Amino acid sequence: RCGPFSGCRSRAASGAMRAAREFLYGRDEIEKGISPRTCTDVGCGIVFVFFLGGLALVAHYAERNGNPRRLTHGYDWQGKLCGGEDEGIDPYAGRYLYWCRSSTSMVGMPSSLVLDRPICVVSCPTNFTEKVLCPREPSVMNHAAADGSGASTKFTVVEELMAPVDGYPSKP
């Protein structure tokens, strides 16, 4: 006996299933013994959907609480973000990051640059005679001072100077 929940199929239902399988998978695949295709990555699909949801949450949080310009604009030697008029950015600083040549006596294209002290420039130099104000190596001086009671105080003075240096042609 076949009932609606007994698990057996009538001949008409079996014929209809076979016709549907042939339509979906092709008669040649069924005749060659290839099993019908089924969805096997449901678990991975669910994990991927949750991953995309988490990624959307992180992107939303970053957009509301962060500054995406920090990813696309450079920082000068003082830690200031180059370019723009956003909060925390010096509006007078240039929008381009520039590395000064390591030697002030060099002529022509530099063989080395001062990579640890970049500066922000409004426009990139276009020739070798254009001057750029670059930070020089800081000088460190240690001092000691004594007062009349015999106590002494030691302190260090770090002096960072800027000097005009010949630029080199570069492009933004």
Side-chain angles (χ1 to χ4, degrees):
R1 285 187 167 274
C2 287
F5 301 107
S6 66
C8 65
R9 296 186 191 114
S10 67
R11 288 181 193 229
S14 294
M17 291 292 285
R18 187 177 307 114
R21 213 175 313 130
E22 285 179 8
F23 175 75
L24 289 174
Y25 307 117
R27 178 175 284 220
D28 57 337
E29 288 184 9
I30 293 172
E31 288 174 358
K32 290 178 183 173
I34 298 174
S35 65
R37 289 173 281 219
T38 60
C39 185
T40 58
D41 295 331
V42 174
C44 290
I46 291 170
V47 169
F48 184 67
V49 167
F50 277 111
F51 168 77
L52 288 179
L55 183 64
L57 285 172
V58 169
H60 178 70
Y61 177 83
E63 182 183 353
R64 292 183 56 87
N65 299 317
N67 183 358
R69 294 178 69 107
R70 294 177 64 187
L71 297 173
T72 59
H73 290 65
Y75 289 91
D76 72 358
W77 64 287
Q78 295 174 319
K80 295 179 186 172
L81 190 61
C82 292
E85 310 220 352
D86 292 343
E87 181 180 331
I89 301 175
D90 183 3
Y92 302 106
R95 67 181 273 204
Y96 299 111
L97 197 61
Y98 182 80
W99 285 269
C100 298
R101 53 176 76 233
S102 60
S103 173
T104 58
S105 62
M106 273 196 289
V107 178
M109 288 305 283
S111 59
S112 64
L113 302 173
V114 182
L115 298 177
D116 61 338
R117 289 188 299 279
I119 60 171
C120 299
V121 293
V122 175
S123 64
C124 296
T126 57
N127 56 47
F128 292 107
T129 59
E130 198 171 332
K131 297 286 186 192
V132 179
L133 199 58
C134 293
R136 302 307 337 149
E137 192 69 38
S139 62
V140 179
M141 296 171 279
N142 294 314
H143 297 283
D147 60 6
S149 66
S152 67
T153 303
K154 292 182 180 181
F155 58 95
T156 302
V157 176
V158 178
E159 189 175 54
E160 295 179 315
L161 300 174
M162 302 289 282
V165 176
D166 288 334
Y168 54 90
S170 57
K171 295 179 182 179

